Amino acid sequence: MDIKEILNRNDRFAANAGCRITEADKQHAVAEMTVTETHLNGGNVCQGGALFTLADLAIAALMNSNGQLTFGISNSIMFIASAHEGDVLRAEAFFVADHHKIPSVEVRVTNQDNILICHVTGMGYRKNIAVPANLQSN
């Protein structure tokens, strides 16, 4: 099972937010989400947390694509433009540095018109264990 299948099945928070991995390999990863009414904030635009969740899922797919369990340790988001209900958002993650312990990535979230919505940077910590293919119940 590849990282795309693992995260689409096991990342329940992202799935409940409407986010899915559509592409993932060792060089880049893409997550997509359609903005619905449930993503809107009080200003009637997509809530920043929804945008971050989408970007974070792409980060997770890329950082874990080598099979080593990697967790985020630092992230930064810069909002550029608003996303609106009906927008189809695409978060594409690329490595800045694929370090064996502390990888760093950059994510561009764009809408269906290729307008930049936000820019995210992330840093992770790689553990010396494999990405679990299935979640175990405790």
Side-chain angles (χ1 to χ4, degrees):
M1 183 176 312
D2 66 12
I3 195 65
K4 175 182 161 184
E5 294 171 306
I6 291 169
L7 289 177
N8 282 339
R9 180 169 31 141
N10 293 337
D11 194 322
R12 294 161 298 211
F13 185 85
N16 285 331
C19 304
R20 289 193 55 79
I21 298 294
T22 57
E23 300 174 39
D25 58 42
K26 293 187 187 311
Q27 281 75 46
H28 87 294
V30 176
E32 294 183 351
M33 173 184 85
T34 299
V35 178
T36 66
E37 181 181 22
T38 62
H39 295 112
L40 303 181
N41 63 19
N44 209 35
V45 296
C46 187
Q47 210 271 347
L51 295 170
F52 181 80
T53 297
L54 177 64
D56 189 52
L57 183 62
I59 290 169
L62 182 58
M63 285 191 183
N64 286 281
S65 65
N66 71 350
Q68 271 184 276
L69 186 60
T70 307
F71 290 104
I73 59 172
S74 178
N75 292 290
S76 177
I77 187 166
M78 181 186 345
F79 301 104
I80 309 296
S82 296
H84 300 89
E85 186 174 359
D87 281 349
V88 178
L89 303 181
R90 182 178 203 271
E92 187 162 13
F94 292 95
F95 278 113
V96 173
D98 189 11
H99 188 269
H100 69 282
K101 269 306 209 199
I102 311 287
S104 177
V105 301
E106 158 177 310
V107 183
R108 292 175 49 88
V109 177
T110 56
N111 69 8
Q112 67 281 353
D113 298 319
N114 205 32
I115 294 171
L116 183 63
I117 303 300
C118 64
H119 179 264
V120 180
T121 57
M123 188 180 307
Y125 179 78
R126 283 200 173 120
K127 300 185 68 94
N128 286 326
I129 59 175
V131 173
N134 295 309
L135 293 177
Q136 303 295 321
S137 45
N138 295 335

